[in-house]
Amino acid sequence: MVTIDDISIAVISLIRIGAVARFIYCTVRLSAAEEESTQYRKRAKNTVIFYIIAESIWQIKDLILYYYKS
């Protein structure tokens, strides 16, 4: 039986893998395409910001669940 914790762990894993893959893709394209470097630099920066926000949301969720379980 799949629980909410299993689903959240799967979503967190997908977000982490996707953010790392996107960042690596942007850095590879950044080194390959010099005329589009500002575009890929911005995309890489936005990927890092997305990852930080996504991790923060999961930490806040864990804090709220810990608070109400106690």
Side-chain angles (χ1 to χ4, degrees):
M1 180 162 195
V2 178
T3 63
I4 296 294
D5 289 333
D6 295 335
I7 294 171
S8 67
I9 290 171
V11 170
I12 291 170
S13 300
L14 286 174
I15 288 174
R16 288 177 180 166
I17 291 169
V20 169
R22 176 75 174 173
F23 184 76
I24 291 171
Y25 172 76
C26 288
T27 53
V28 167
R29 293 292 296 175
L30 181 65
S31 64
E34 297 201 10
E35 63 275 354
E36 299 173 348
S37 65
T38 57
Q39 179 183 9
Y40 284 109
R41 185 173 291 122
K42 185 175 179 181
R43 287 180 182 177
K45 181 182 129 187
N46 288 341
T47 303
V48 171
I49 291 170
F50 165 76
Y51 179 73
I52 291 169
I53 291 171
E55 286 292 325
S56 298
I57 289 171
W58 292 112
Q59 294 302 321
I60 291 170
K61 177 199 75 96
D62 288 341
L63 286 172
I64 290 170
L65 289 178
Y66 176 76
Y67 176 76
Y68 284 113
K69 284 183 180 179
S70 298

